Amino acid sequence: MAHGPDYGAIKAEPNMTPLLDLVLQLLMFFVMTVNFVSAETRDDVKLPVSQSARPMDRSLDKVLMLNMDARGQLWVLGRDQPLTNPGEISYFLRREFNDSQLFAQARGDKSGAVRTAVIIRADQDVKYDKVYQLLRACKEAGYKNLQLRATIRGGEQHGPAS
Amino acid sequence: MARRHKAEPSLEVELPITPMLDMAFQLLAFFILTYRPSDLEGHLDLSLPAAGEARAQAAAQVDPQQLADVEVELPAEVTVVVRARSEEGTRNYVIDKIVVRQRTGEVTLDEGKDASQRERHLLAELSKHLRKARDDLTNQNDVTLEVDSRLRYALVVQLMDVCAKAKFLNIGFGPPPDLSTAVP
């Protein structure tokens, strides 16, 4: 009786189950931490470091993100070109505020109160003059809730400044 | 004689693990390559800067009963004025001096003797002065910063840190001292 050439050979079959389990665990981690939509924040804006910055408030409903680069140019979502002069910035902010008011009224809020939080991500090397002008423009447009973003020193979470 | 039916052989489903593992590795490689941990961001609360006051054209238009915009917005008893000068040999600006203005008067902070540590020394002096001055204030939460417009924003954030550590919770911004015009 003839036998095949592999007759009697020892076959090693690795157990795939724990390997697959580990791979799926890793996959789950990366799927849950992926962030495809990061268009609102610009990578070329290097935030200043602050020890008293509080962790971000993730419960904010409406947010207007303003990114200011080191040259004082304002980048906003939906625009390929930055806003460069104070007039453009002021016009943009007033228009956004008016749109928010109309939207609030359309939703039934007769007072048209705008609860949008304006988040300013300014580069650490930009002149303070540009930031100050932006803050004033936000106030003149009618926004009341402003936040400045900074990198928390050491990557640690800090509680409210005390 | 009835024939016994042979029991049907039980069906065993064999799941092909190999292509599933292959696909899992592909996805894992994709997410590993696109994963980018970002710096932890926080936010700084602030009070809005005062809008520019309308300058009266004539003395008759001045209403002494109307509070100034600054006072309505932020009745701070302490104002920190930071002036800048250009750094020798560069186009950068550094802190020249820090003046703390209170109702009792103005105090110019000591600059220290070491020119290379001047900025750090000034910030440390400011921290010490604010902590001491806060105890004598009625309003212990509000402070106004008037910072030279030519300084870097990172320095302004450091000043905000100093104020926050001195337990001033509401930090407001006044007009930069190099830009504000004198009242006619």
mmCIF file with all atom_site columns, all heavy atoms in Angstrom, chain A residues 66-78:
data_model
loop_
_atom_site.group_PDB
_atom_site.id
_atom_site.type_symbol
_atom_site.label_atom_id
_atom_site.label_alt_id
_atom_site.label_comp_id
_atom_site.label_asym_id
_atom_site.label_entity_id
_atom_site.label_seq_id
_atom_site.pdbx_PDB_ins_code
_atom_site.Cartn_x
_atom_site.Cartn_y
_atom_site.Cartn_z
_atom_site.occupancy
_atom_site.B_iso_or_equiv
_atom_site.pdbx_formal_charge
_atom_site.auth_seq_id
_atom_site.auth_comp_id
_atom_site.auth_asym_id
_atom_site.auth_atom_id
_atom_site.pdbx_PDB_model_num
ATOM 1   N N   . LEU A 1 66 ? -12.046 79.359 16.024 1.00 0.00 ? 66 LEU A N   1
ATOM 2   C CA  . LEU A 1 66 ? -11.252 80.327 15.273 1.00 0.00 ? 66 LEU A CA  1
ATOM 3   C C   . LEU A 1 66 ? -9.776  80.003 15.479 1.00 0.00 ? 66 LEU A C   1
ATOM 4   O O   . LEU A 1 66 ? -9.295  79.974 16.611 1.00 0.00 ? 66 LEU A O   1
ATOM 5   C CB  . LEU A 1 66 ? -11.531 81.762 15.765 1.00 0.00 ? 66 LEU A CB  1
ATOM 6   C CG  . LEU A 1 66 ? -12.989 82.220 15.713 1.00 0.00 ? 66 LEU A CG  1
ATOM 7   C CD1 . LEU A 1 66 ? -13.143 83.599 16.328 1.00 0.00 ? 66 LEU A CD1 1
ATOM 8   C CD2 . LEU A 1 66 ? -13.487 82.231 14.284 1.00 0.00 ? 66 LEU A CD2 1
ATOM 9   N N   . ASN A 1 67 ? -9.064  79.757 14.388 1.00 0.00 ? 67 ASN A N   1
ATOM 10  C CA  . ASN A 1 67 ? -7.648  79.440 14.466 1.00 0.00 ? 67 ASN A CA  1
ATOM 11  C C   . ASN A 1 67 ? -6.847  80.626 13.940 1.00 0.00 ? 67 ASN A C   1
ATOM 12  O O   . ASN A 1 67 ? -7.044  81.056 12.810 1.00 0.00 ? 67 ASN A O   1
ATOM 13  C CB  . ASN A 1 67 ? -7.339  78.203 13.600 1.00 0.00 ? 67 ASN A CB  1
ATOM 14  C CG  . ASN A 1 67 ? -7.973  76.954 14.145 1.00 0.00 ? 67 ASN A CG  1
ATOM 15  O OD1 . ASN A 1 67 ? -7.434  76.312 15.033 1.00 0.00 ? 67 ASN A OD1 1
ATOM 16  N ND2 . ASN A 1 67 ? -9.130  76.599 13.619 1.00 0.00 ? 67 ASN A ND2 1
ATOM 17  N N   . MET A 1 68 ? -5.918  81.101 14.776 1.00 0.00 ? 68 MET A N   1
ATOM 18  C CA  . MET A 1 68 ? -5.092  82.221 14.342 1.00 0.00 ? 68 MET A CA  1
ATOM 19  C C   . MET A 1 68 ? -3.648  81.758 14.261 1.00 0.00 ? 68 MET A C   1
ATOM 20  O O   . MET A 1 68 ? -3.092  81.302 15.271 1.00 0.00 ? 68 MET A O   1
ATOM 21  C CB  . MET A 1 68 ? -5.226  83.399 15.324 1.00 0.00 ? 68 MET A CB  1
ATOM 22  C CG  . MET A 1 68 ? -4.407  84.607 14.915 1.00 0.00 ? 68 MET A CG  1
ATOM 23  S SD  . MET A 1 68 ? -4.724  86.053 15.913 1.00 0.00 ? 68 MET A SD  1
ATOM 24  C CE  . MET A 1 68 ? -6.158  86.734 15.070 1.00 0.00 ? 68 MET A CE  1
ATOM 25  N N   . ASP A 1 69 ? -3.052  81.885 13.082 1.00 0.00 ? 69 ASP A N   1
ATOM 26  C CA  . ASP A 1 69 ? -1.683  81.402 12.928 1.00 0.00 ? 69 ASP A CA  1
ATOM 27  C C   . ASP A 1 69 ? -0.688  82.469 13.399 1.00 0.00 ? 69 ASP A C   1
ATOM 28  O O   . ASP A 1 69 ? -1.071  83.534 13.876 1.00 0.00 ? 69 ASP A O   1
ATOM 29  C CB  . ASP A 1 69 ? -1.417  80.985 11.476 1.00 0.00 ? 69 ASP A CB  1
ATOM 30  C CG  . ASP A 1 69 ? -1.578  82.128 10.490 1.00 0.00 ? 69 ASP A CG  1
ATOM 31  O OD1 . ASP A 1 69 ? -1.540  83.308 10.915 1.00 0.00 ? 69 ASP A OD1 1
ATOM 32  O OD2 . ASP A 1 69 ? -1.739  81.865 9.287  1.00 0.00 ? 69 ASP A OD2 1
ATOM 33  N N   . ALA A 1 70 ? 0.582   82.164 13.270 1.00 0.00 ? 70 ALA A N   1
ATOM 34  C CA  . ALA A 1 70 ? 1.622   83.040 13.815 1.00 0.00 ? 70 ALA A CA  1
ATOM 35  C C   . ALA A 1 70 ? 1.661   84.407 13.124 1.00 0.00 ? 70 ALA A C   1
ATOM 36  O O   . ALA A 1 70 ? 2.190   85.372 13.672 1.00 0.00 ? 70 ALA A O   1
ATOM 37  C CB  . ALA A 1 70 ? 2.982   82.359 13.702 1.00 0.00 ? 70 ALA A CB  1
ATOM 38  N N   . ARG A 1 71 ? 1.089   84.496 11.933 1.00 0.00 ? 71 ARG A N   1
ATOM 39  C CA  . ARG A 1 71 ? 1.085   85.777 11.223 1.00 0.00 ? 71 ARG A CA  1
ATOM 40  C C   . ARG A 1 71 ? -0.167  86.594 11.511 1.00 0.00 ? 71 ARG A C   1
ATOM 41  O O   . ARG A 1 71 ? -0.346  87.671 10.955 1.00 0.00 ? 71 ARG A O   1
ATOM 42  C CB  . ARG A 1 71 ? 1.211   85.535 9.725  1.00 0.00 ? 71 ARG A CB  1
ATOM 43  C CG  . ARG A 1 71 ? 2.573   84.980 9.340  1.00 0.00 ? 71 ARG A CG  1
ATOM 44  C CD  . ARG A 1 71 ? 2.751   84.967 7.868  1.00 0.00 ? 71 ARG A CD  1
ATOM 45  N NE  . ARG A 1 71 ? 1.880   83.989 7.245  1.00 0.00 ? 71 ARG A NE  1
ATOM 46  C CZ  . ARG A 1 71 ? 1.799   83.798 5.929  1.00 0.00 ? 71 ARG A CZ  1
ATOM 47  N NH1 . ARG A 1 71 ? 2.503   84.532 5.114  1.00 0.00 ? 71 ARG A NH1 1
ATOM 48  N NH2 . ARG A 1 71 ? 1.001   82.879 5.435  1.00 0.00 ? 71 ARG A NH2 1
ATOM 49  N N   . GLY A 1 72 ? -1.040  86.054 12.331 1.00 0.00 ? 72 GLY A N   1
ATOM 50  C CA  . GLY A 1 72 ? -2.254  86.792 12.675 1.00 0.00 ? 72 GLY A CA  1
ATOM 51  C C   . GLY A 1 72 ? -3.399  86.562 11.711 1.00 0.00 ? 72 GLY A C   1
ATOM 52  O O   . GLY A 1 72 ? -4.411  87.260 11.760 1.00 0.00 ? 72 GLY A O   1
ATOM 53  N N   . GLN A 1 73 ? -3.258  85.575 10.836 1.00 0.00 ? 73 GLN A N   1
ATOM 54  C CA  . GLN A 1 73 ? -4.332  85.272 9.886  1.00 0.00 ? 73 GLN A CA  1
ATOM 55  C C   . GLN A 1 73 ? -5.335  84.327 10.543 1.00 0.00 ? 73 GLN A C   1
ATOM 56  O O   . GLN A 1 73 ? -4.941  83.400 11.249 1.00 0.00 ? 73 GLN A O   1
ATOM 57  C CB  . GLN A 1 73 ? -3.775  84.606 8.628  1.00 0.00 ? 73 GLN A CB  1
ATOM 58  C CG  . GLN A 1 73 ? -2.821  85.503 7.864  1.00 0.00 ? 73 GLN A CG  1
ATOM 59  C CD  . GLN A 1 73 ? -2.222  84.808 6.665  1.00 0.00 ? 73 GLN A CD  1
ATOM 60  O OE1 . GLN A 1 73 ? -1.896  83.641 6.717  1.00 0.00 ? 73 GLN A OE1 1
ATOM 61  N NE2 . GLN A 1 73 ? -2.082  85.533 5.573  1.00 0.00 ? 73 GLN A NE2 1
ATOM 62  N N   . LEU A 1 74 ? -6.586  84.569 10.276 1.00 0.00 ? 74 LEU A N   1
ATOM 63  C CA  . LEU A 1 74 ? -7.642  83.809 10.934 1.00 0.00 ? 74 LEU A CA  1
ATOM 64  C C   . LEU A 1 74 ? -8.180  82.742 9.985  1.00 0.00 ? 74 LEU A C   1
ATOM 65  O O   . LEU A 1 74 ? -8.650  83.052 8.892  1.00 0.00 ? 74 LEU A O   1
ATOM 66  C CB  . LEU A 1 74 ? -8.766  84.751 11.352 1.00 0.00 ? 74 LEU A CB  1
ATOM 67  C CG  . LEU A 1 74 ? -9.792  84.173 12.313 1.00 0.00 ? 74 LEU A CG  1
ATOM 68  C CD1 . LEU A 1 74 ? -9.144  83.898 13.655 1.00 0.00 ? 74 LEU A CD1 1
ATOM 69  C CD2 . LEU A 1 74 ? -10.964 85.119 12.479 1.00 0.00 ? 74 LEU A CD2 1
ATOM 70  N N   . TRP A 1 75 ? -8.094  81.504 10.424 1.00 0.00 ? 75 TRP A N   1
ATOM 71  C CA  . TRP A 1 75 ? -8.612  80.399 9.634  1.00 0.00 ? 75 TRP A CA  1
ATOM 72  C C   . TRP A 1 75 ? -9.907  79.905 10.269 1.00 0.00 ? 75 TRP A C   1
ATOM 73  O O   . TRP A 1 75 ? -9.964  79.654 11.459 1.00 0.00 ? 75 TRP A O   1
ATOM 74  C CB  . TRP A 1 75 ? -7.604  79.247 9.600  1.00 0.00 ? 75 TRP A CB  1
ATOM 75  C CG  . TRP A 1 75 ? -6.322  79.588 8.925  1.00 0.00 ? 75 TRP A CG  1
ATOM 76  C CD1 . TRP A 1 75 ? -5.225  80.189 9.496  1.00 0.00 ? 75 TRP A CD1 1
ATOM 77  C CD2 . TRP A 1 75 ? -5.999  79.365 7.557  1.00 0.00 ? 75 TRP A CD2 1
ATOM 78  N NE1 . TRP A 1 75 ? -4.235  80.346 8.545  1.00 0.00 ? 75 TRP A NE1 1
ATOM 79  C CE2 . TRP A 1 75 ? -4.690  79.833 7.354  1.00 0.00 ? 75 TRP A CE2 1
ATOM 80  C CE3 . TRP A 1 75 ? -6.680  78.805 6.473  1.00 0.00 ? 75 TRP A CE3 1
ATOM 81  C CZ2 . TRP A 1 75 ? -4.049  79.774 6.124  1.00 0.00 ? 75 TRP A CZ2 1
ATOM 82  C CZ3 . TRP A 1 75 ? -6.049  78.729 5.249  1.00 0.00 ? 75 TRP A CZ3 1
ATOM 83  C CH2 . TRP A 1 75 ? -4.749  79.214 5.081  1.00 0.00 ? 75 TRP A CH2 1
ATOM 84  N N   . VAL A 1 76 ? -10.924 79.751 9.430  1.00 0.00 ? 76 VAL A N   1
ATOM 85  C CA  . VAL A 1 76 ? -12.205 79.240 9.926  1.00 0.00 ? 76 VAL A CA  1
ATOM 86  C C   . VAL A 1 76 ? -12.647 78.091 9.052  1.00 0.00 ? 76 VAL A C   1
ATOM 87  O O   . VAL A 1 76 ? -12.257 77.986 7.880  1.00 0.00 ? 76 VAL A O   1
ATOM 88  C CB  . VAL A 1 76 ? -13.290 80.331 9.957  1.00 0.00 ? 76 VAL A CB  1
ATOM 89  C CG1 . VAL A 1 76 ? -12.939 81.398 10.964 1.00 0.00 ? 76 VAL A CG1 1
ATOM 90  C CG2 . VAL A 1 76 ? -13.483 80.947 8.599  1.00 0.00 ? 76 VAL A CG2 1
ATOM 91  N N   . LEU A 1 77 ? -13.503 77.256 9.618  1.00 0.00 ? 77 LEU A N   1
ATOM 92  C CA  . LEU A 1 77 ? -13.988 76.081 8.897  1.00 0.00 ? 77 LEU A CA  1
ATOM 93  C C   . LEU A 1 77 ? -14.829 76.513 7.711  1.00 0.00 ? 77 LEU A C   1
ATOM 94  O O   . LEU A 1 77 ? -15.660 77.404 7.819  1.00 0.00 ? 77 LEU A O   1
ATOM 95  C CB  . LEU A 1 77 ? -14.829 75.224 9.849  1.00 0.00 ? 77 LEU A CB  1
ATOM 96  C CG  . LEU A 1 77 ? -15.296 73.877 9.303  1.00 0.00 ? 77 LEU A CG  1
ATOM 97  C CD1 . LEU A 1 77 ? -14.111 72.970 9.057  1.00 0.00 ? 77 LEU A CD1 1
ATOM 98  C CD2 . LEU A 1 77 ? -16.271 73.238 10.274 1.00 0.00 ? 77 LEU A CD2 1
ATOM 99  N N   . GLY A 1 78 ? -14.573 75.915 6.591  1.00 0.00 ? 78 GLY A N   1
ATOM 100 C CA  . GLY A 1 78 ? -15.366 76.202 5.402  1.00 0.00 ? 78 GLY A CA  1
ATOM 101 C C   . GLY A 1 78 ? -14.730 77.212 4.465  1.00 0.00 ? 78 GLY A C   1
ATOM 102 O O   . GLY A 1 78 ? -15.253 77.478 3.391  1.00 0.00 ? 78 GLY A O   1
#
